[in-house]
Amino acid sequence: MRILKLKKKDLKKFLESISSFGELWAPVKKGNRWAFQPTAPDNIDLDAGRTILPLKKFMVPQKFTMFKYNKEGYTPELSNIPSRIVFGAHPCDIAGLNILDKLFTENFPDPYYIERRKKTAIIGLSCLPDEFCFCNETGTDTVEEGFDLFLSETGTDFYLVWIGSSLGDDLMRMAENLFSEDIAFEDIQKFTNWKKERAKKFKVNIDLTGMPSIFELSLNSKIWDKIGERCLACGSCSMVCPTCNCYDVKDTVELRECKGERNRCWDSCTLHEYSLVAGGHNFRANRSDRLRLWYTHKLESFIGAYGKPSCVGCGRCLVTCPVDINAYTLAKTLREEEVFFK
Amino acid sequence: MNPEDRKTKQLPKVGIYGLTSCAGDQLTIVNCEDQILDIFGSAEISSFLMAKSDNTEGEIDVAIVEGSVSSKGDLEMLEDIRKRSKVLIALGNCACNGGPQAACVAAEDHKERMKQVYGDVKWSLPDPIDAKPLSAYVKVDMQITGCPIDKWEFLRALGRLVKGDGPIPISYPVCVECKYNENECLLFKNEMCLGPITLAGCNSVCINHNIPCFGCRGAVIEANVAGEAEMLVNMKHPQFPDRKNFDYQDVKNRAMMYGGNTMAELLDKAKVKGAKK
């Protein structure tokens, strides 16, 4: 992996130089929050906080057409996927993408995901935590892979730029003269100092060590009933979670002609219909069962299968759940037996 | 349509009817200008008073009925339609939940309310009764709700029905579509939003325009009305201490605007602290 230097004042020039690759998307203010939107290099908000939806919307859009069919057969909708540059992806979100990569490209490769991943250039940007971030606890405050380029703050007038892929190298070469390899020892020190300062800024006091055992021991805890009573089953937590990836498939048919399309849309295990099977049997009919599934999947089973939680500490569940059920309150409740949910 | 009919290309017979309502759902169908020829080409529309004049009332495959049952006349008409149709679809909030005219179902006796509003009058119309959804009287096979209905939901359902498939009902709340649209949650902006307990299918159109959900599509399956009311009336969100609470009566009024009997029962069961009887 190569690491180069880019002067902060040259960032705009760099983004302009690579515009031929595809449309530029970056966090744009939406009310009090941010959302990845198409934007111009002039309007980049370098201090943007977490976006409402994570990067998954680029790789697995909320709703998309898989193929259209008629009497002759069907054609997959793969040719019209646009090339995009996504600027300003935070480390936790890139860590989320790395988890989706495992799920969508390894055992059961998903052509729709793979094609979109290929056509989306990810330019990461380091960030400072707000009062809801806990990526320090999930080990996702730094990412080593999953991006094409990654720009890290150094607290000075330049970024350190990691080149994470051959596409990233190609993009860098589109404006090679803006980058320099001249990295002095003091530059490295400035970077490590900045990281030390950042580490002091985390405020969420969450402890995830030993979580799998705590979940295993708490499977029959009454806490789940309390949480189920409170949960509105609105599905918001899983919609905004960077690693939730369940989807539903539905066909739409034309009224008169013999043709139609097959569509995919985000689904969630917290919703009633998710575990409904033929004959009307629902093996997770209660909200408490479904929430337990959601959280044990994130913080227990995933660790068993992949060695790490599928929670990346982005804090979205903390700012999204209207009734304050999230990784933080849950971990605290299970660990301290403090009944958060009266 | 059964497979035999499909072979002979016999189109399914469809009747579209209206009981007590504003007729806005039938109007939504008529307003499908780009698809209206396909609608009339995909099925034999034997009766649709709003759109055509040569209507015949016989055996039909699919009956689509808008409006609530608000009079004995409505009830007779509905029972007749049910008898001669194989599949009956309730169209719009009035047919599915009773509509705004059912907003007071939980209050005092219907006759008493009529007297309060109109005084002692003699009714020239068929006897008015408490407004109720179709399902209070007959078997309803499918519901397409909303005020008005979403035209795409209607077209998708009709498309599947005329080709012999069952429509795919929606079973998740408005929040799901609201997140698809990456909206900022209005519950964190001090709005009384009913998104978490309301059936989706509207593409969260109100919240997309910064208007909280009024629940016009009725309660979602398994709606946690107690949880929603508790959140709006009593809950202090530890991480958002500025979020304000609402008066229970205001929450109830909003939930009942479109919620009908279903919402009345759910609210009654909820037992929210601060609720006055």
Side-chain angles (χ1 to χ4, degrees), chain A residues 57 231 254 257 266 324, chain B residues 163 180 182 222 224 239:
Chain A
K57 76 170 184 179
C231 173
E254 293 268 330
E257 288 173 82
W266 289 0
D324 199 33
Chain B
K163 298 215 162 125
Y180 285 1
E182 205 163 2
E222 204 202 44
N224 186 358
Q239 287 154 84

Side-chain angles (χ1 to χ4, degrees), chain A residues 30-32 35 52-53 57 62 229 231-232 251 253-254 256-257 266 273 285 287 290 320-322 324, chain B residues 38 42 159-160 163 171 173 175-176 179-182 184 188 221-222 224 227-228 231 237-239 243:
Chain A
K30 191 168 186 182
N32 296 322
I52 299 172
L53 292 180
K57 76 170 184 179
Q62 295 90 316
E229 246 172 62
C231 173
L232 303 177
D251 287 0
V253 291
E254 293 268 330
R256 219 170 355 171
E257 288 173 82
W266 289 0
E273 201 193 50
R287 290 188 294 273
R290 299 203 294 271
T320 300
C321 178
D324 199 33
Chain B
D38 285 335
S42 66
R160 290 182 70 98
K163 298 215 162 125
S171 64
C175 296
V176 169
K179 289 294 165 303
Y180 285 1
N181 292 314
E182 205 163 2
E184 213 185 346
F188 289 94
I221 184 166
E222 204 202 44
N224 186 358
E228 169 91 8
M231 167 187 68
H237 199 304
Q239 287 154 84
R243 195 168 78 173

Side-chain angles (χ1 to χ4, degrees), chain A residues 30 75 81 90 104 109 126 130 135 137 144 230-231 235 242 279 309:
Chain A
K30 191 168 186 182
T75 2
I81 292 170
H90 291 168
F104 283 109
S126 63
D130 69 5
C135 56
E137 269 302 321
E144 309 287 349
R230 178 178 253 212
C231 173

Side-chain angles (χ1 to χ4, degrees), chain A residues 72 83 85 211:
Chain A
E72 272 72 52
S83 293
I85 298 166
M211 236 25 213

Side-chain angles (χ1 to χ4, degrees), chain B residues 14 19 24 26 36 58 66 72 83 128-129 141 185 190:
Chain B
V14 175
L19 306 178
Q26 293 171 78
I36 195 92
E66 174 181 354
K72 288 194 177 146
K83 251 181 241 160
I129 51 177
D141 301 293
C185 180
N190 285 331

Side-chain angles (χ1 to χ4, degrees), chain B residues 159-172:
Chain B
R160 290 182 70 98
L161 272 172
V162 297
K163 298 215 162 125
D165 282 330
I168 307 171
I170 296 167
S171 64
Y172 47 84

Side-chain angles (χ1 to χ4, degrees), chain A residues 30-37 51-54 57 62-63 71 131-132 228-236 239-240 249-259 265-267 270-273 284-287 290 318-324 326 328-329 340, chain B residues 9 35-42 154-163 165 168-185 187-189 195-197 203 220-229 231 235-240 243:
Chain A
K30 191 168 186 182
N32 296 322
R33 305 280 306 272
W34 286 266
F36 280 107
Q37 301 277 336
T51 48
I52 299 172
L53 292 180
K57 76 170 184 179
Q62 295 90 316
K63 288 189 250 184
K71 272 184 192 163
E131 67 262 49
F132 304 109
E229 246 172 62
R230 178 178 253 212
C231 173
L232 303 177
C234 69
S236 297
M239 296 295 132
V240 303
V249 176
K250 291 170 188 167
D251 287 0
T252 300
V253 291
E254 293 268 330
L255 274 172
R256 219 170 355 171
E257 288 173 82
C258 181
K259 59 182 191 184
C265 62
W266 289 0
D267 198 356
T270 62
L271 301 173
H272 176 84
E273 201 193 50
R284 270 190 281 275
N286 300 319
R287 290 188 294 273
R290 299 203 294 271
L318 276 73
V319 298
T320 300
C321 178
V323 291
D324 199 33
N326 51 57
Y328 167 71
T329 50
F340 248 78
Chain B
K9 294 220 168 152
Q35 297 86 11
I36 195 92
L37 293 177
D38 285 335
I39 295 173
F40 277 83
S42 66
F154 169 76
L155 291 169
R156 278 196 302 270
L158 190 66
R160 290 182 70 98
L161 272 172
V162 297
K163 298 215 162 125
D165 282 330
I168 307 171
I170 296 167
S171 64
Y172 47 84
V174 172
C175 296
V176 169
E177 289 175 345
C178 193
K179 289 294 165 303
Y180 285 1
N181 292 314
E182 205 163 2
N183 292 321
E184 213 185 346
C185 180
L187 287 168
F188 289 94
K189 297 180 92 181
I197 54 168
N203 194 30
V220 65
I221 184 166
E222 204 202 44
N224 186 358
V225 174
E228 169 91 8
M231 167 187 68
M235 188 192 152
K236 297 277 173 242
H237 199 304
Q239 287 154 84
F240 295 90
R243 195 168 78 173

